Amino acid sequence: KPAVFSKDSCYLPPLRYPATCTFKDSVESEKQQYIIHGGKTPNNELSDKIYVMSVVCKNNKKVTFCCTEKDLVGDIPEARYGHTIDVVHSRGKSMGVVFGGRSYIPSAQRTTEKWNSVADCLPHVFLVDFEFGCSTSYILPELQDGLSFHVSIARNDTIYILGGHSLANNIRPANLYRIKVDLPLGSPAVNCTVLPGGISVSSAILTQTNSDEFVIVGGYQLENQKRMVCNVISLENNKIEIREMETPD
């Protein structure tokens, strides 16, 4: 079906490698929005903007979206690409979580020869309140290296970070991190645990097949070696299990 934007929508540039996710006010809510953050613009610049898309009209002929730009205050994530954004739900509240990605090296270090050189973003975790537009960064000792093009899975108050590419040492470590977010009435609490059984992968496609199961397809295990293994990820009782599955031809 063709899709159009409403007249009161802001301009949404065609972005490469942004972070995207769906957002609901609560787990039970049927109203769904789409969050788009960062990415590369057609001018090869990096965006630090957050766009919120929602369906305002849907009929048999076309779908109409409304796109608005969300301003942030506080610890604003720098412009980046190849990162992830997810939504966690805790104690009836929701927050966005931004992690990883790459950014251009600081302007003071840029020369004509390496004007477009990029570096890993610092391994900070950003909590974003979409309702009030507040952003807060957290430094977790378990996250030592910047990562990009990793895979992230969100379920309730927990996010799992798998794989990724570290540009600093050009490796794809078999990472598996569990980031748990608690949202009490006071300040949020963010904790990270390093789990065994991770996989080495970057730039893969993640698809959810049911409420507790995901499939990872494609990506790279080395810089010049595509990943020919598919994995099924099961989440049950706050446990994660990763196993190989029979690959398509």
Side-chain angles (χ1 to χ4, degrees):
K1 294 180 181 180
V4 297
F5 286 96
S6 62
K7 293 182 179 180
D8 57 344
S9 293
C10 69
Y11 171 65
L12 176 65
L15 299 166
R16 290 180 295 154
Y17 313 122
T20 62
C21 69
T22 57
F23 172 63
K24 295 181 180 181
D25 294 332
S26 64
V27 177
E28 297 81 14
S29 175
E30 295 184 1
K31 183 182 178 183
Q32 186 166 270
Q33 297 175 313
Y34 306 91
I35 309 296
I36 303 168
H37 177 264
K40 282 189 174 184
T41 70
N43 296 328
N44 215 32
E45 297 174 345
L46 299 185
S47 171
D48 63 353
K49 298 182 182 301
I50 284 187
Y51 298 97
V52 181
M53 287 179 54
S54 57
V55 176
V56 294
C57 181
K58 187 175 183 180
N59 55 41
N60 293 331
K61 293 185 178 181
K62 65 182 179 182
V63 176
T64 302
F65 288 100
C66 179
C67 180
T68 58
E69 185 180 322
K70 189 72 176 179
D71 293 325
L72 294 182
V73 296
D75 303 325
I76 302 175
E78 66 179 313
R80 61 188 66 201
Y81 70 99
H83 56 304
T84 55
I85 184 169
D86 297 279
V87 175
V88 291
H89 304 279
S90 170
R91 303 175 188 256
K93 294 189 288 187
S94 301
M95 283 274 190
V97 180
V98 176
F99 176 72
R102 294 175 184 167
S103 183
Y104 288 128
I105 60 175
S107 56
Q109 302 175 22
R110 299 171 80 177
T111 63
T112 302
E113 291 77 16
K114 56 178 184 178
W115 190 255
N116 289 330
S117 295
V118 295
D120 296 319
C121 294
L122 294 174
H124 296 173
V125 175
F126 293 86
L127 287 193
V128 180
D129 188 323
F130 294 125
E131 182 180 0
F132 299 104
C134 301
S135 177
T136 307
S137 68
Y138 293 82
I139 300 175
L140 305 178
E142 294 81 8
L143 300 172
Q144 292 292 324
D145 299 313
L147 290 172
S148 57
F149 297 103
H150 51 279
V151 172
S152 66
I153 299 174
R155 189 167 187 262
N156 299 327
D157 61 355
T158 303
I159 293 175
Y160 296 94
I161 304 291
L162 293 88
H165 181 218
S166 175
L167 196 61
N169 45 27
N170 195 26
I171 61 172
R172 291 165 174 80
N175 292 323
L176 179 53
Y177 299 109
R178 180 177 62 207
I179 299 175
K180 193 175 181 64
V181 180
D182 187 20
L183 301 175
L185 290 176
S187 300
V190 183
N191 297 295
C192 180
T193 305
V194 181
L195 301 177
I199 55 177
S200 176
V201 61
S202 67
S203 303
I205 295 173
L206 176 74
T207 301
Q208 186 168 3
T209 51
N210 63 46
S211 60
D212 299 319
E213 190 173 272
F214 301 79
V215 173
I216 292 181
V217 179
Y220 289 85
Q221 60 188 38
L222 296 172
E223 185 172 359
N224 56 358
Q225 185 176 350
K226 293 182 179 179
R227 193 169 182 272
M228 306 304 292
V229 176
C230 298
N231 292 94
V232 175
I233 301 175
S234 301
L235 300 177
E236 288 187 47
N237 302 323
N238 294 322
K239 293 184 179 180
I240 181 169
E241 179 187 356
I242 305 174
R243 64 183 187 275
E244 290 188 11
M245 63 175 289
E246 184 176 351
T247 58
D249 292 338

